[in-house]
Amino acid sequence: MLGLRGVTTIVLVVLSLAYQGIRPPPPKICGSPGGPPITAPRVRLRDHRNLAYKEQGVPRELAKHKIVYVHGSDSCRHDAVIATDVTPAVLEEMKVYVLSFDRPGYGESDPDPKRTPKSLALDIEELADQLGLGTKFYVIGYSMGGQAIWGVLKYIPHRLAGVALIAPVINYWWPGFPTNLSSEGYYLQPPQDQWALRVAHHAPWLTYWWNTQKWFPASSVAARAPHIMSRQDMEIIPKMIGRRKDAPRVNARLQGEAESIHRDMMVGFGSWEFDPMEIENPFPNKEGSVHLWQGDEDRLVPVLLQRHIAQKLPWIEYHELPGAGHLLPYADGMSEAILKALIVDQKQS
């Protein structure tokens, strides 16, 4: 029979193996020994992290409208749809400059294990300041990048000239949602995504393990499953591929999944330090505007919850598009319409 020492040894071995199984591997930092090479321009932040960025549109010094674009999950700086899907002639006519960047842990930007909605907002402010965008600039965010814009509205409203949130991801645990409504939206998600979100919210330290183990279905978003796409989304995908065939590409998960898509889940569906539905109007004197764009057939973001946010925040200009899915900014003419609503229509009003 095993003595106490033998039992203790076995327990420690089992615990050690279990810990190794759930612990994500360290990220492969760009520019570090054995890590991916650095190919993009980067700025060094005050905490010594680096953010990779890309500039598009008219030159910064000639621009009348400077926009910071925040990409979604599993994307990178090259995916600034409001620049890539709008013709150079339109950007020139509107005198628009677009600054996109790899969010922490994506592409060639250093990971931020302490990332929060506030820290990302302050990253955006510091990036804008280091590149000389001036006292005020526009921000546009899509999907998980759209969700990040709530932090921008909360923490740096004084720096904003205008804002657009495109299909921003919902956190079902925001306290501003009535329980019955958030539950209704939550259960519209596939069962595997319900479980992935539960893990991200209640046991974030298990997020990497849950989405890489083979026993249960993991997040369909992280797995890029086609069933989460709407009919219009499926029609758009071939066009997106055609438009991107000559565009520069980089693996968004270049440094690993744990500090990119899985960190997104932990932050996006974790416990927030503020409720977006209590944010005050950043433009009380109508010197700017905030727009929220949502498709009514979006299978990733329930439209009923987006409607509730728009009702709670009447200063938001809410645009609901019939038949549109989550890929709505990639539909023909949509990115140009989003730009013009934010800039041209605002000036005219």
Side-chain angles (χ1 to χ4, degrees):
M1 294 180 64
L2 287 172
L4 179 60
R5 180 176 296 179
V7 172
T8 302
T9 300
I10 291 174
V11 170
L12 289 175
V13 169
V14 170
L15 290 175
S16 175
L17 291 173
Y19 177 71
Q20 293 299 324
I22 66 174
R23 183 186 183 189
K28 300 175 181 177
I29 306 295
C30 286
S32 66
I38 298 169
T39 64
R42 308 201 301 178
V43 299
R44 193 166 179 81
L45 303 176
R46 62 173 62 94
D47 65 358
H48 306 297
R49 285 182 297 113
N50 295 285
L51 286 185
Y53 66 90
K54 181 176 183 178
E55 299 174 286
Q56 298 180 80
V58 302
R60 191 189 321 158
E61 59 275 10
L62 301 178
K64 289 185 178 178
H65 310 288
K66 298 170 184 174
I67 299 173
V68 178
Y69 180 84
V70 188
H71 68 77
S73 181
D74 214 5
S75 300
C76 68
R77 64 188 182 277
H78 294 304
D79 298 318
V81 61
I82 55 141
T84 59
D85 280 35
V86 175
T87 66
V90 170
L91 295 176
E92 175 70 31
E93 177 188 352
M94 297 173 66
K95 297 292 187 290
V96 166
Y97 160 89
V98 179
L99 170 64
S100 55
F101 67 102
D102 292 335
R103 290 193 287 114
Y106 279 104
E108 296 181 32
S109 286
D110 292 341
D112 182 5
K114 298 179 181 179
R115 174 152 61 100
T116 65
K118 182 176 184 178
S119 72
L120 184 56
L122 298 182
D123 283 355
I124 290 171
E125 181 178 36
E126 189 173 354
L127 174 67
D129 286 342
Q130 288 207 34
L131 293 180
L133 267 57
T135 57
K136 290 185 180 290
F137 47 87
Y138 296 86
V139 289
I140 298 178
Y142 168 52
S143 189
M144 193 61 85
Q147 187 197 63
I149 300 302
W150 294 117
V152 173
L153 286 163
K154 170 68 175 178
Y155 295 110
I156 58 168
H158 56 290
R159 302 301 305 274
L160 303 176
V163 177
L165 303 92
I166 310 170
V169 170
I170 295 293
N171 183 325
Y172 299 92
W173 290 272
W174 284 337
F177 287 133
T179 303
N180 63 328
L181 190 67
S182 59
S183 295
E184 182 181 353
Y186 179 81
Y187 287 110
L188 289 174
Q189 304 302 301
Q192 67 193 80
D193 291 332
Q194 295 173 26
W195 277 105
L197 298 181
R198 283 192 190 104
V199 170
H201 182 77
H202 295 291
W205 48 277
L206 279 176
T207 300
Y208 173 82
W209 174 81
W210 183 266
N211 288 285
T212 55
Q213 51 77 34
K214 306 301 181 186
W215 299 334
F216 311 107
S219 165
S220 57
V221 177
R224 302 169 176 155
H227 67 262
I228 58 175
M229 296 288 102
S230 72
R231 178 188 58 80
Q232 187 191 76
D233 290 338
M234 296 303 292
E235 294 172 355
I236 288 174
I237 288 173
K239 298 178 183 178
M240 287 176 58
I241 295 172
R243 292 171 190 164
R244 291 180 172 187
K245 64 180 180 180
D246 298 321
R249 298 299 303 158
V250 65
N251 180 4
R253 307 182 188 186
L254 192 65
Q255 301 178 87
E257 297 181 356
E259 287 298 333
S260 54
I261 57 172
H262 299 149
R263 181 66 60 186
D264 259 2
M265 296 177 67
M266 293 160 65
V267 174
F269 300 105
S271 297
W272 282 34
E273 57 205 17
F274 69 94
D275 182 356
M277 282 162 274
E278 294 180 353
I279 292 176
E280 296 181 357
N281 183 359
F283 307 116
N285 300 316
K286 301 187 184 298
E287 66 274 30
S289 57
V290 179
H291 299 255
L292 197 162
W293 299 79
Q294 175 70 32
D296 70 353
E297 292 189 9
D298 191 327
R299 294 185 181 177
L300 276 73
V301 183
V303 67
L304 75 165
L305 296 180
Q306 218 73 280
R307 289 170 182 162
H308 182 78
I309 291 174
Q311 291 169 1
K312 293 276 284 187
L313 302 175
W315 43 267
I316 285 181
E317 297 190 34
Y318 180 59
H319 310 264
E320 186 174 308
L321 306 179
H326 197 66
L327 298 181
L328 71 91
Y330 294 93
D332 292 340
M334 271 308 307
S335 286
E336 183 174 332
I338 290 169
L339 268 185
K340 288 185 174 178
L342 182 61
I343 295 173
V344 179
D345 294 353
Q346 176 180 305
K347 289 175 64 179
Q348 291 175 347
S349 64

